[in-house]
Structure formats: C-alpha cells, structure tokens
Amino acid sequence: MYRRRRIVGTYLGAALAVAALPGISLVLDDSPWELILCGAVFLVVNQLIHCYPSSVRTAPPVALLVLAAIGIVQDTLLWLLVSWIGSQMDYGVHVDGFLTALAGGAVMRLTVLAVMAIGPQPVPEAA
C-alpha cells in the first residue's frame, strides 16, 4: 500500500513540476509517454536509493526534515539526469538549469511525502 502511494506521488509530482515550473518542459509537447518515461527513471532510482521515513505521520520532525533534504538533493540530481537523457534521445523532459531542477526536486519530494501521509500508515515492525 505504501509503495503504491510512492508510485502515485512520484508520477503526480513529476506532472505537477512539469505543469507548474516554466523551466521544465516536455521536448515534444504532445506525447504523454515522455512524462511516463520521466516518472519511470525517478521510480527506478528511488527504489534503489530509498530515503523515505517508514511512517510519515509518526516520524520525528528532525528525521523528516533530514530525509526531505536528502530527497530534494536526490530528486534535483534526477531532474538533471532525466534532462540529459532527454537531450541525448530528443525525447523526454528538458530542464533549463540547476535552480529549476532544485525547484522541481522540491516539488517532487513534497508531493510524494504529502501523498504518503494520506491514508492509513504502516504498522511499525516489532524488534
């Protein structure tokens, strides 16, 4: 359940960043597959480098801030990677610069954390 919310939050965050930020745009402007490709790159890397709290609502505020900051850096680098891949293929997403990628990373991470906070939280595992 929690994993599905991360997937939905990732795609929603990518769509929101492309729609809201003027420096992030689709290369072809007519294919929804470009956004799906962008989200797939984010999902693969986010599954390999997992920096989310086990439960967003019960996480200590300091831990949540540290994980959010690490996640924003990770998502910023991913926006730059996705833009580079798009420039090599002439397909995908174009990001204008580092500050735009940083704003996109913040939008992406905050959207994912907000979607993860909605609904029932996972039960903590007993040690």
Side-chain angles (χ1 to χ4, degrees), residues 43-70:
L43 285 174
V44 167
V45 175
N46 282 337
Q47 291 301 320
L48 295 174
I49 306 170
H50 183 76
C51 61
Y52 293 102
S54 59
S55 177
V56 174
R57 282 194 231 149
T58 60
V62 172
L64 194 59
L65 285 174
V66 168
L67 288 173
I70 292 169

Side-chain angles (χ1 to χ4, degrees), residues 40-119:
V41 171
F42 273 93
L43 285 174
V44 167
V45 175
N46 282 337
Q47 291 301 320
L48 295 174
I49 306 170
H50 183 76
C51 61
Y52 293 102
S54 59
S55 177
V56 174
R57 282 194 231 149
T58 60
V62 172
L64 194 59
L65 285 174
V66 168
L67 288 173
I70 292 169
I72 288 172
V73 170
Q74 175 185 339
D75 288 345
T76 299
L77 295 174
L78 281 173
W79 276 113
L80 294 173
L81 174 68
V82 165
S83 179
W84 178 78
I85 291 172
S87 70
Q88 298 297 315
M89 296 177 11
D90 290 330
Y91 187 79
V93 177
H94 173 72
V95 179
D96 283 342
F98 180 77
L99 291 178
T100 305
L102 183 64
V107 167
M108 176 76 90
R109 187 57 53 155
L110 294 176
T111 304
V112 171
L113 289 175
V115 169
M116 287 172 63
I118 297 171

